Amino acid sequence: TQLGRAAAAAAEAEAAMAAMAASGRNGASKGTPTTNRAVSLPASLELEVLAVEEDNVLAAVHQVLTASSAEQALLFVAAGRRVPPEVRLFRQCGLHSAVSLSDHLLGVAYESDGDDDEAATRRAQTPQLLVASPSVARGLDLPNVGLVIVLGLPTTADQLIHLAGRTARQGVSGRAGFIA
């Protein structure tokens, strides 16, 4: 079945990511220069790969968020996707704490979506969801991010480090979930 193949691919990708990280390979294709620097992930970083059907991505994001005790979560949209439409989609599907990372950094406030008590309670029970494109990962330091969610799988060890490495910084534990 398609789900079985996706689960097998996700398990294979997780093993490949761990092997790349352990060996220091950056995952570049044959004929492409590689760097032989050691690649390491902090021991305080927990990695998880969820294999889901495309129709279940939002449910998986919601599940990962509600299972987290993180104050903030950082979600990287799939490469090539624009952030503002994704934020609108997340908010329309009940993830009311979703905000683009750029708006968060600029201090832009979102409308409250008719903030009744139930909506306020739901928002308080899930971490703030900061939504960004993978291109902004390098060098980004957000100390309150305890959870990183990546839609898709990284193609290189370098990309894995720059996406997952936005959490579990400076000895603090963190979690990175890849939804593919």
Side-chain angles (χ1 to χ4, degrees), residues 5-146:
R5 285 191 304 272
E12 186 177 313
E14 187 174 40
M17 289 188 305
M20 284 191 310
S23 70
R25 291 191 344 243
N26 73 354
S29 62
K30 209 173 202 178
T32 304
T34 62
T35 58
N36 289 325
R37 66 180 175 81
V39 176
S40 65
L41 296 170
S44 59
L45 176 63
E46 177 187 336
L47 293 176
E48 177 181 13
V49 177
L50 298 172
V52 300
E53 296 286 335
E54 190 174 336
D55 293 346
N56 296 324
V57 169
L58 286 171
V61 169
H62 191 269
Q63 176 186 341
V64 170
L65 279 172
T66 56
S68 174
S69 61
E71 182 179 326
Q72 286 182 331
L74 178 59
L75 182 141
F76 290 107
V77 299
R81 302 291 299 238
R82 295 187 55 236
V83 171
E86 298 292 317
V87 169
R88 281 193 299 277
L89 178 63
F90 290 132
R91 293 175 64 79
Q92 289 169 353
C93 292
L95 296 171
H96 301 287
S97 64
V99 60
S100 77
L101 177 62
S102 59
D103 285 350
H104 170 75
L105 294 174
L106 293 171
V108 175
Y110 274 74
E111 294 178 18
S112 65
D113 293 338
D115 211 6
D116 57 18
D117 290 339
E118 187 178 327
T121 301
R122 277 194 313 270
R123 202 170 19 264
Q125 291 173 342
T126 59
Q128 180 182 26
L129 179 62
L130 307 174
V131 182
S133 85
S135 62
V136 302
R138 197 173 296 270
L140 189 61
D141 186 20
L142 299 165
N144 294 329
V145 170

